[in-house]
Amino acid sequence: MTPEERAELKARAVLVYDGYCGLCNWVVRFCAQHDQADRLRYVPLQSDLGRELLARYGETPESLNAVSLFLNAMTSDERFVHHSDAVAWALRQLGAPWSGLGRMVGWIPRFLREWGYGLVRRVRYAVFGRYPVCPVPDPKIRSRSVGTPDASGQSAQPEFSELG
């Protein structure tokens, strides 16, 4: 992790998502559109940065294969949540009415949330599609994305490319 990446993530909520998943990329666009307070940052789990963040908690993209969220990233108060908890907490970072929805999701018994999350996770590629490579975020999201290609579409990681 570069000093610039560390500074960008520090004390923020960092959503680590499956960059190949059509649904996950839609969720990132949705969150960026509704995050008026600019609280969230987005990192694909397939990126070097995503792998590094997950490794701090003994996870890999393959072992987790799910959305995760770091609250208060890079601080002594950092908290790591994943699966349905990450969805609930990500919604809570957004403005009304989404923050209220995130609280309501959190009230649902965890075993039910995890069951629903697992169902969506199993069918997401079939229903929402799968990108062959992680797409370059559009300009509105690019400034909030960390560990992804820069504005020119160039990246040190060959797995990222612009979709044509």
Side-chain angles (χ1 to χ4, degrees), residues 21-28 120 124 128-129:
C21 172
L23 174 61
C24 299
N25 277 278
W26 179 87
V27 167
V28 167
V120 170
R124 65 192 164 139
F128 299 97

Side-chain angles (χ1 to χ4, degrees), residues 59-92:
E59 297 284 358
T60 67
E62 297 77 24
S63 70
L64 187 62
N65 190 25
V67 68
S68 59
L69 187 72
F70 293 84
L71 296 162
N72 297 309
M74 307 305 190
T75 68
S76 60
D77 295 329
E78 182 177 90
R79 184 170 167 203
F80 175 68
V81 295
H82 52 81
H83 298 135
S84 65
D85 290 332
V87 172
W89 277 100
L91 285 168
R92 290 177 73 174

